[in-house]
Amino acid sequence: MPMHDVPEVPEVQWGQVFEKHGGPLTYKSIPVPKPGPDDVLVHIKYTGVCHTDLHAWKGDWPLDTKLPLVGGHEGAGVVVAVGEMVKDVHIGDHVGVKWLNSSCGVCDFCMSAQEPLCIAPQLSGYTVDGTFQQYCVANAGHVARLPKSVPLNAAAPILCGGLTVYKALKESNARPGETVVITGAGGGLGTLAVQYAKAMGFRTIGIDAGEKCDAVKQLGAEEFVDFQTEDVIESVKRHTGGFGAHAVILLAVSEKPFQQATEYCRSHGTVVCVGLPANARISADVFSTVVRMITIKGSYVGSRMDTKEAVDFFVRGLISAPFKVGKLSELGKVYEMMEKGQITGRYVLDTSVSPEDQEKMEE
Ligand code: NAD
Ligand code: ZN
């Protein structure tokens, strides 16, 4: 590439930082990180806000985060620098930064292309600084390749939400024409799950709060169950001729659905746990689980190959889940709405700064 095409990378940038769990989120000027030999530096244009980011800020899980931390792991942007060992990603390429920032490459799981199970992973916006900043470092082997034809704002939610639900639907072993229940269908992952399920040929029943019914049905769900006003188990059975659903994808950030799902799952069906509510337990009646041959399993993001496939569905125009665009400075407000379950679909944040903020930074 001729020298004049190499983008100028600033020394400082804007990012959202917190020092302690549940402590203030500060939108401030921070240094631009430097990529290592096998990393790329990505100018993040848009970043989705996943409920995982809220769990990380609150310190909900039995896994330590880096502190202070820049959260975020659904970043879409443009490569502005590459480490000296990077050969297949170039300055100017459009890429996505995912939850799995890097993996060791040599453990049993990495060797069998199950890199989310790596024994020494780095996680974006958790163990390393993530996408709630303008410039983010990620391992070149792990960034998602995005064609320049797709808009980066709509692509951002695919990089965690889309990938995760696509993988969970594959793990459900459901076949085209079978019925899949999506619990938490109106949320970020849920709205994407309804769309991926439809594209994969499944029939879906969405479960969420009543105000999200119209959106979930418009995305392709055949039936909707309001968890706040209906008997969820009875309703799913009614919609499935008394048999229950072939598979259940649990995306809700609440414990109760993890204790109900086997009861509305069809015999020989599969319950896939994806949502990660704090301190929650799965429970099921042993007798019924055995004699009805129910499978209960977890599903955790997806591999690089799953990423490629999930991005492909999006590039082919099969996935268009709702998203709202805000500014990176508004992250705190988005967390408040998310906590109350008020967001239908995803919030995507634009990292560009207003001229006023820019002036302040230069002072
Ligand atoms: P979100 O806040 O956008 O959506 C959650 C939805 O669940 C909301 O629409 C809410 O109304 C609904 N809900 C709450 N209680 C419910 C109930 N009892 N029944 C049905 N619906 C209910 O969150 P999100 O970004 O979609 O993330 C969902 C969960 O998935 C989070 O816990 C997140 O950490 C987790 N996650 C897991 C993985 C993974 O790899 N396993 C990846 C990404 C996210
Ligand atoms: Zn996520």
Side-chain angles (χ1 to χ4, degrees):
M1 175 174 282
M3 274 314 284
H4 61 265
D5 282 349
V6 175
E8 225 175 275
V9 179
E11 291 290 317
V12 289
Q13 58 162 341
W14 284 85
Q16 284 279 7
V17 187
F18 66 86
E19 309 265 335
K20 62 173 198 189
H21 295 297
L25 284 166
T26 317
Y27 182 58
K28 64 177 185 183
S29 168
I30 54 174
V32 171
K34 303 258 182 281
D38 54 1
D39 293 331
V40 294
L41 181 67
V42 184
H43 184 181
I44 301 292
K45 302 283 187 180
Y46 293 95
T47 172
V49 184
C50 178
H51 208 113
T52 291
D53 301 312
L54 177 55
H55 292 303
W57 173 56
K58 286 164 67 184
D60 275 349
W61 298 338
L63 178 68
D64 287 341
T65 70
K66 168 187 176 291
L67 284 175
L69 181 70
V70 175
H73 59 276
E74 266 186 2
V78 181
V79 174
V80 291
V82 301
E84 70 248 27
M85 283 162 61
V86 177
K87 298 281 178 266
D88 62 331
V89 183
H90 305 282
I91 289 173
D93 285 358
H94 287 194
V95 296
V97 175
K98 309 181 280 97
W99 174 246
L100 202 64
N101 192 281
S102 71
S103 61
C104 77
V106 292
C107 72
D108 286 4
F109 301 108
C110 285
M111 285 201 291
S112 55
Q114 292 181 299
E115 62 270 16
L117 303 178
C118 174
I119 57 169
Q122 293 293 355
L123 308 172
S124 306
Y126 206 91
T127 63
V128 292
D129 285 341
T131 58
F132 295 155
Q133 56 183 339
Q134 296 178 293
Y135 294 87
C136 175
V137 168
N139 178 275
H142 279 279
V143 290
R145 275 63 169 165
L146 301 173
K148 288 186 181 162
S149 56
V150 298
L152 292 172
N153 53 10
I158 304 298
L159 300 162
C160 176
L163 165 63
T164 300
V165 300
Y166 170 65
K167 174 67 168 175
L169 285 162
K170 286 211 292 187
E171 288 287 313
S172 80
N173 291 321
R175 290 192 238 162
E178 293 186 343
T179 300
V180 178
V181 167
I182 312 288
T183 304
L189 266 60
T191 48
L192 284 158
V194 174
Q195 289 259 291
Y196 274 96
K198 185 176 160 203
M200 292 162 85
F202 308 142
R203 304 175 65 180
T204 57
I205 299 172
I207 306 181
D208 209 308
E211 73 258 19
K212 300 186 182 177
C213 172
D214 291 348
V216 170
K217 281 199 158 176
Q218 267 168 27
L219 291 166
E222 286 183 27
E223 303 290 350
F224 184 87
V225 176
D226 181 344
F227 78 88
Q228 291 172 324
T229 60
E230 290 182 60
D231 179 329
V232 169
I233 297 162
E234 282 312 311
S235 298
V236 173
K237 283 190 177 161
R238 189 174 69 250
H239 293 311
T240 51
F243 284 105
H246 295 83
V248 181
I249 311 288
L250 288 172
L251 307 171
V253 192
S254 143
E255 188 176 28
K256 197 170 174 198
F258 289 79
Q259 296 167 351
Q260 290 178 322
T262 57
E263 296 184 52
Y264 55 76
C265 184
R266 185 184 171 105
S267 294
H268 212 238
T270 304
V271 173
V272 186
C273 303
V274 176
L276 292 157
N279 307 312
R281 302 196 73 81
I282 305 168
S283 65
D285 178 69
V286 172
F287 182 80
S288 154
T289 305
V290 172
V291 301
R292 295 177 55 233
M293 296 181 70
I294 303 286
T295 301
I296 303 172
K297 64 185 344 190
S299 187
Y300 180 45
V301 288
S303 67
R304 286 170 293 174
M305 193 61 206
D306 296 317
T307 306
K308 187 178 176 204
E309 292 168 10
V311 167
D312 222 52
F313 274 78
F314 172 70
V315 172
R316 283 154 56 216
L318 298 170
I319 310 299
S320 60
F323 65 93
K324 286 195 187 74
V325 178
K327 298 295 272 182
L328 181 55
S329 55
E330 296 170 323
L331 179 63
K333 194 186 83 186
V334 175
Y335 280 167
E336 268 174 44
M337 288 187 284
M338 183 174 260
E339 182 83 62
K340 294 184 193 144
Q342 288 170 343
I343 302 173
T344 300
R346 250 315 180 240
Y347 238 95
V348 172
L349 303 178
D350 173 351
T351 69
S352 65
V353 294
S354 64
E356 300 85 62
D357 285 342
Q358 196 63 47
E359 241 170 62
K360 261 198 269 162
M361 181 156 63
E362 279 156 10
E363 269 166 22

